């Protein structure tokens, strides 16, 4: 297991009404692979500690950790990170962690990303890593399911990322220009917007457990090889 590193908040940016990006300076952190996560440990003045895991929103920079945190109401950690943490605040970080749900520039081949809500965070890291890799020409597609346009993390950036085709699907409220009525991800969505099964794309699915299970089943129903589908379910507060 990786050791704990002292971390200090150096910048915060709003991301949505209930989410924001935190950039941490972490001496000794040696970078990470797209798709990995870290553990964050907070210690209260009375010594009480809470640990939660968060996916990395951006990779490739030593001694810097970028997180995109969505608030879980009633939680111990996420409300503090979203609403209270300020530059100069200190915490601890352990990682990077995880070696299965990762993408490397030399992997090659097409990549299909499927995100539910804030599950887009590690997938955005993959898209950013692909854009930053001069030797990679792998075509990427992102199918991102969110409740409303206001819940779409990194939308402007992802819509203009080179080599990435992004499709947003809305479950509760769609923008006026949308021709698709609000609703959950369907087989028609997968068939219309994901790579065709014969492309043989690597598939990464991330989001709440229910979404991940439903999306993976739809991909298999559409003809994708289950062995090429990697999933990551997030939780914690």
């Amino acid at each position: 297991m990786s050791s704990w590193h002292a971390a200090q908040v150096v910048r915060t940016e709003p991301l949505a009404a209930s989410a924001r990006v935190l950039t941490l300076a972490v001496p000794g952190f040696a970078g990470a692979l797209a798709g990995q996560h870290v553990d964050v440990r907070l210690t209260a003045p009375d010594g009480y500690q809470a640990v939660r895991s968060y996916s990395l929103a951006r990779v490739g920079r030593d001694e810097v950790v970028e997180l995109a945190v969505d608030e879980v109401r009633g939680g111990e950690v996420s409300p503090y990170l979203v609403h209270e943490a300020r530059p100069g605040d200190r915490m601890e970080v352990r990682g990077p962690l995880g070696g299965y749900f990762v993408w490397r520039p030399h992997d090659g081949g097409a990549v299909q990303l499927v995100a539910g809500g804030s599950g887009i965070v590690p997938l955005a890291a993959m898209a950013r890593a692909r854009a930053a890799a001069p030797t990679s020409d792998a075509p990427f597609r992102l199918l991102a399911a969110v409740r409303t346009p206001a819940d779409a993390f990194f939308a402007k950036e992802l819509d203009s990322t080179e080599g990435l085709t992004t499709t947003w699907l809305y479950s509760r409220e769609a923008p006026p220009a949308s021709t698709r009525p609000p609703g959950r991800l369907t087989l028609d969505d997968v068939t219309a917007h994901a790579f065709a099964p014969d492309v043989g794309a690597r598939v990464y699915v991330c989001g709440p457990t229910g979404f991940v299970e439903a999306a993976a089943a739809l991909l298999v129903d559409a003809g994708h090889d289950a062995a090429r589908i990697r999933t990551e379910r997030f939780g914690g507060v």
Side-chain angles (χ1 to χ4, degrees), residues 33-35 56-59 103 120-130:
L33 298 173
L56 295 164
R58 191 187 302 272
V59 299
W103 178 82
I120 199 171
V121 175
L123 307 185
M126 294 180 188
R128 287 167 160 174
R130 184 257 180 241

Side-chain angles (χ1 to χ4, degrees), residues 50-187:
V51 178
R52 296 293 183 270
S53 296
Y54 293 101
S55 296
L56 295 164
R58 191 187 302 272
V59 299
R61 297 183 295 170
D62 293 350
E63 301 194 331
V64 175
V65 165
E66 185 176 311
L67 308 176
V69 180
D70 194 23
E71 179 185 5
V72 177
R73 293 186 179 181
E76 290 184 317
V77 175
S78 62
Y80 166 77
L81 295 178
V82 171
H83 299 293
E84 299 181 35
R86 297 290 183 270
D89 286 356
R90 297 182 181 276
M91 57 196 71
E92 295 172 280
V93 168
R94 179 171 61 191
L97 305 170
Y100 171 74
F101 194 80
V102 299
W103 178 82
R104 302 171 178 83
H106 63 259
D107 284 342
V111 175
Q112 178 67 56
L113 310 173
V114 183
S118 59
I120 199 171
V121 175
L123 307 185
M126 294 180 188
R128 287 167 160 174
R130 184 257 180 241
T135 60
S136 177
D137 59 357
F140 270 48
R141 288 191 184 181
L142 169 62
L143 192 56
V146 295
R147 289 170 293 188
T148 73
D151 299 306
F153 290 8
F154 312 115
K156 185 177 181 179
E157 176 189 351
L158 293 174
D159 285 342
S160 60
T161 296
E162 184 178 355
L164 173 69
T165 300
T166 302
T167 301
W168 299 96
L169 304 173
Y170 306 95
S171 61
R172 294 186 184 177
E173 177 188 333
S178 176
T179 59
R180 177 190 182 274
R184 295 187 176 185
L185 181 71
T186 67
L187 182 59

Side-chain angles (χ1 to χ4, degrees), residues 26-63:
V26 189
F29 189 85
L33 298 173
Q36 288 189 303
H37 63 277
V38 295
D39 288 341
V40 174
R41 182 164 69 186
L42 303 180
T43 303
D46 63 2
Y48 175 76
Q49 294 184 322
V51 178
R52 296 293 183 270
S53 296
Y54 293 101
S55 296
L56 295 164
R58 191 187 302 272
V59 299
R61 297 183 295 170
D62 293 350
E63 301 194 331

